[in-house]
Amino acid sequence: MVTVAVFVGAGLLLLVLVVVAGNRVLRSDNPVSSGMADGLGSFIDVFDPARARADRDLKSHDNQGVVTPNPDDDDDRPVRVDLDRRVAKVRKPR
């Protein structure tokens, strides 16, 4: 019975210390909680790795560019190739 009371008391003391420390971090003028957000943001990798990979893949689509050039960009190319006449013309640099 005494050991249960000791564990409950230690648990309550630990809970109070966590609440007080969290309150001090959130109310301080010095913004030091950004590391906490980074640490908690990686929990999705642990609990749902497939979702984390899918999110990273979707985020990488924002950085993709056009693979093929637009037809309007033909005037800017330094080399033009005419396959029908088998001729390649090189434009002089300006």
Side-chain angles (χ1 to χ4, degrees), residues 74 77 79-90:
D74 285 340
R77 292 186 182 181
V79 177
R80 288 189 187 186
V81 178
D82 187 3
L83 295 177
D84 294 333
R85 291 189 278 164
R86 296 183 180 177
V87 176
K89 294 182 181 178
V90 180

Side-chain angles (χ1 to χ4, degrees), residues 30-48:
N30 196 6
V32 294
S33 62
S34 62
M36 183 66 72
D38 291 339
L40 293 175
S42 64
F43 275 162
I44 192 169
D45 292 340
V46 174
F47 294 117
D48 195 2

